[in-house]
Amino acid sequence: MFGSIKNGASAYAKVGVETGVLAASPHRLIVMLFEGAETALRAALAQMSARDIPGKGRSISKAINIIDNGLRASLDTKAGGEIAGNLEALYEYMNTRLLQANLNNSEEMVQEVLKLLGELKGAWESIAPSPAAANPGAPAARLAGQSYDALAPRAGAFVSA
């Protein structure tokens, strides 16, 4: 009648992810893509162990989609030059390995791509902009050690009628 608890929890989690995406900086969005691909591949490994072939296929397809339509699509080959070209080739390699992993049910190939994603994510996180640079409206609060809520109303932000 009202849906299952699982459906409610899933909807709540989806709202949390959507809210995180809306509030995220472009840099954080890339980190979220890496995290999403890693999560999908960990699920694929668990599904391989459980012999859940359809689930494994869906999880690997999800990771490929994130790599291709998220990470790879976000590359700016003109501005990124050689680095962007190298990343594009690496993303293509990862997708090929994941297709092979799916066909051959190879946990080793999935682990290889997980390792590559982890290394790239670590490098990406290491170049994160400072909090003040990520949100120019927050430096005074952050420097003073206060928390900053990007969604909180600010003085002068309201128009009275």
Side-chain angles (χ1 to χ4, degrees), residues 13 26-28 38 54 71 76 80 90-91 93 112 126 128 141 144 148 159:
H27 189 275
R28 177 70 186 129
E38 288 175 328
L71 294 169
D76 184 345
L90 184 58
Y91 293 148
Y93 172 79
E112 175 189 3
S126 74
Y148 175 75
V159 177

Side-chain angles (χ1 to χ4, degrees), residues 18 20-21 30 35 37 49 61 73 91 100 105-106 108 135 139 147 150 155:
E18 289 173 358
V21 167
I30 299 298
E35 291 169 348
S49 295
S61 292
Y91 293 148
Q100 293 169 341
N105 209 40
S106 172
E108 294 80 20
N135 193 344
S147 64

Side-chain angles (χ1 to χ4, degrees), residues 87-100:
L87 283 171
E88 186 168 19
L90 184 58
Y91 293 148
E92 178 64 30
Y93 172 79
M94 285 190 243
N95 284 342
T96 300
R97 293 301 279 175
L98 290 175
L99 287 171
Q100 293 169 341

